[in-house]
Amino acid sequence: MNPLLAVLILLLIIGLVGWILLRIVRRRGEFSHSLGLGLIRIQLPKALDDSERQKITVNDVREKIAVMEQVYAQLSTIKESGLRAWLYGKPSFSFELAVPHIGQEVLFFLAVPRRHISSAEKLIQGVYPEASVERVSDYSIFHPQGSVSAAAAQPKNRFLPFKTFQTL
């Protein structure tokens, strides 16, 4: 057997084994990353009454959506570096709406990696200075008189939005 061919086959096998090991480590890393998220509860001020709601224009709605777009853009810039980024990939976050107890208002919960939780708190306070932001350990959406619902959207093209707020 040609020695060059043997070396190429050996390198191919080493590369394949390395790729498989990397996939296994990344999959385990994704699971451990999901368990390493910190939770922030965000409570915005009371909603407007009917007389104030009628005064809202389309431009007001566009401005509020644009502000939230900035929050998403800033959260998407959270990055890991070095070996952690190579092994585990980009960190994830979750933005949830929930009514944790019957009769309460809808609350927003933001789950981010614990390393970045203070940055996320500052981001929310910077964009929504009137919001109440605090760290919480957990919340439960399940209670005896309650119900649970969930939805997921699947766009035709994953790179294009459903509808942009500029076309409202």
Side-chain angles (χ1 to χ4, degrees):
M1 179 181 240
N2 188 352
L4 182 61
L5 182 62
V7 169
L8 285 175
I9 291 173
L10 181 65
L11 288 176
L12 181 65
I13 291 171
I14 290 172
L16 183 62
V17 168
W19 181 78
I20 290 171
L21 288 175
L22 180 63
R23 297 283 295 173
I24 291 170
V25 168
R26 278 195 176 171
R27 189 161 296 180
R28 286 185 181 171
E30 288 172 357
F31 182 71
S32 67
H33 262 81
S34 67
L35 294 176
L37 296 178
L39 195 61
I40 303 172
R41 181 176 66 199
I42 305 164
Q43 187 170 11
L44 297 173
K46 293 265 186 193
L48 304 173
D49 61 8
D50 289 336
S51 64
E52 293 174 337
R53 252 188 226 144
Q54 292 174 353
K55 296 177 187 175
I56 295 176
T57 64
V58 173
N59 285 335
D60 294 335
V61 173
R62 285 183 184 152
E63 287 175 15
K64 290 188 184 292
I65 294 173
V67 168
M68 197 62 202
E69 184 181 35
Q70 291 299 315
V71 172
Y72 292 138
Q74 290 297 319
L75 287 172
S76 70
T77 63
I78 294 176
K79 298 208 181 342
E80 297 289 353
S81 60
L83 183 62
R84 183 183 297 252
W86 187 72
L87 285 176
Y88 303 126
K90 189 173 181 177
S92 60
F93 65 91
S94 171
F95 192 73
E96 305 169 13
L97 289 89
V99 180
H101 302 290
I102 293 177
Q104 284 191 345
E105 294 181 352
V106 172
L107 298 176
F108 300 94
F109 291 92
L110 177 63
V112 295
R114 285 194 177 101
R115 295 172 40 141
H116 304 288
I117 199 163
S118 63
S119 300
E121 286 176 326
K122 291 174 187 173
L123 169 66
I124 298 297
Q125 282 292 317
V127 173
Y128 295 105
E130 69 280 357
S132 167
V133 178
E134 73 178 88
R135 295 180 191 187
V136 293
S137 60
D138 201 1
Y139 72 95
S140 177
I141 58 173
F142 304 105
H143 41 81
Q145 295 84 20
S147 63
V148 177
S149 176
Q154 296 287 330
K156 291 180 183 175
N157 185 338
R158 68 183 197 144
F159 299 110
L160 298 175
F162 293 107
K163 186 174 184 180
T164 64
F165 67 93
Q166 289 95 353
T167 60
L168 286 177

